[in-house]
Amino acid sequence: AAAKRKREAPAARPTKRAKKAPGAAQAGPEAGPEGAGPEEYSIPPPVSQGKWKNKERVLIFSSRGINFRTRHLMQDLRTLMPHSKADTKMDRKDQLFVINEVCEMKNCNKCIFFEAKKKQDLYMWLSNTPQGPSAKFLVQNVHTLAELKMTGNCLRGSRPLLSFDPTFDKEPHYALLKELFIQIFSTPQYHPKSQPFVDHVFTFTVTDERIWFRNYQIIEEDASLVEIGPRFVLNLIKIFQGSFGGPTLYENPHYRSPNMHRRLLRLSVAAKFREKQQVKEVQKIKKKGSKVLMEEDPTEVVFETPAEEKPVEIQLVKPESKPIVKDKKKPRKIQRKKQKKLFRTEM
């Protein structure tokens, strides 16, 4: 029997049947293994149907020493940008050009890097790695998605509209920043993690020599806007030709460093204190100083009338002494006191 089994051809394995929906009736003989009947599971199509050509990838990470508000802002940007990637925090001792190697390892061609200094100042780098250009900003007035005033909501992964102030088309450095913002913040079409529709707007407005970032939801009923968040203000410092360094293309003349701002505040407070001390010293000198006597006024004795002169009398006789008058009531008081003492002793 064993020899016969070896000589015979191997039996054909039964074909695997497709999984059927639970509770559905068994398929009839018409439905073969190749054709997928209505009772079988069907794989849903991808979210974005199309070829992903513009393969922009943005690396969003920070240095060590950031506070909780910066960390929440970084997480909000990652959720709003489906084409972003994350990485561990970078050590402060490392040079900034090391970020180009990190982007190369992560297969990213754009980078948003948050740099914290003195645990209170936040700087943002936007860079096109590894060729450049790159821009450095001071981040101010940060508000995150979790705040109660941000009442809007949008679908995660949807593509945003980018709205720019007309100032971005007038000056060359703003035009360069506009192209950098478009390449970093706009979600590429047909990205695998993106949704194929638009329901929110990123606005970049130039006011007071700063760039104000806002994110609004588009409501379908009346096309009104509701703010989602996050919101922050970018104060431009410098634009470099290379990535995280190189020749300076533009330097903001209106920029004032946070250290200088804090120094001016301290100087203003010190000037007020110094002025108060000077006023006190002047008052002390006035009190200690000798009073200046005024000269006699000739009109002061106008209304004074001279008194009559009396003759001087000289007394040659000694005046008589006054008689000493004894108090008659005293002996009576003494007698009464003695009588009272005697009465008490007898009792």
Side-chain angles (χ1 to χ4, degrees), residues 50-241:
K51 193 172 182 181
W52 179 26
K53 296 180 181 179
N54 182 21
K55 296 191 176 183
E56 294 283 355
R57 298 182 184 89
V58 182
L59 181 65
I60 302 176
F61 71 118
S62 68
S63 64
R64 297 195 180 277
I66 61 172
N67 54 9
F68 72 98
R69 191 177 291 275
T70 307
R71 186 174 67 254
H72 288 188
L73 174 64
M74 187 170 57
Q75 293 293 339
D76 294 345
L77 290 177
R78 287 174 183 171
T79 55
L80 289 173
M81 300 165 64
H83 60 293
S84 64
K85 288 187 176 183
D87 194 22
T88 56
K89 294 179 181 178
M90 195 180 76
D91 197 359
R92 295 180 186 176
K93 296 179 182 178
D94 295 339
Q95 299 295 328
L96 290 178
F97 61 82
V98 179
I99 302 174
N100 296 325
E101 299 177 5
V102 177
C103 292
E104 187 177 356
M105 288 188 292
K106 289 283 184 177
N107 196 18
C108 297
N109 52 0
K110 299 290 185 297
C111 180
I112 299 177
F113 177 67
F114 292 96
E115 185 180 8
K117 291 184 179 179
K118 295 187 176 181
K119 296 185 179 180
Q120 56 184 343
D121 301 331
L122 177 63
Y123 298 92
M124 179 192 285
W125 286 84
L126 300 179
S127 176
N128 178 25
T129 57
Q131 294 86 12
S134 59
K136 185 180 181 181
F137 300 91
L138 174 68
V139 185
Q140 300 170 330
N141 302 334
V142 177
H143 298 274
T144 58
L145 275 168
E147 296 189 12
L148 295 177
K149 65 178 80 173
M150 311 295 183
T151 57
N153 190 13
C154 67
L155 188 66
R156 182 167 183 170
S158 59
R159 301 181 66 221
L161 289 174
L162 298 185
S163 174
F164 290 94
D165 193 86
T167 314
F168 280 93
D169 298 326
K170 295 178 182 177
E171 299 184 18
H173 62 280
Y174 280 132
L176 179 60
L177 291 177
K178 178 181 178 180
E179 185 62 29
L180 196 61
F181 289 147
I182 289 172
Q183 294 183 14
I184 290 177
F185 287 97
S186 63
T187 303
Q189 193 175 10
Y190 302 125
H191 191 277
K193 294 182 181 179
S194 66
Q195 300 292 340
F197 53 86
V198 175
D199 63 349
H200 63 287
V201 186
F202 289 162
T203 61
F204 298 89
T205 311
V206 179
T207 306
D208 194 20
E209 304 297 335
R210 292 170 174 83
I211 300 172
W212 301 63
F213 176 85
R214 296 289 184 270
N215 181 20
Y216 296 99
Q217 176 197 358
I218 303 172
I219 299 177
E220 296 180 2
E221 288 79 10
D222 52 354
S224 60
L225 299 178
V226 180
E227 189 169 0
I228 301 173
R231 60 159 71 168
F232 51 87
V233 179
L234 299 176
N235 191 0
L236 178 63
I237 302 174
K238 285 183 180 181
I239 300 176
F240 300 96
Q241 185 177 353

Side-chain angles (χ1 to χ4, degrees), residues 32-43:
E34 296 179 357
E39 300 166 356
E40 299 177 0
Y41 286 121
S42 59
I43 300 171

Side-chain angles (χ1 to χ4, degrees), residues 297-307:
D297 189 4
T299 61
E300 189 175 358
V301 290
V302 171
F303 298 101
E304 290 184 2
T305 54

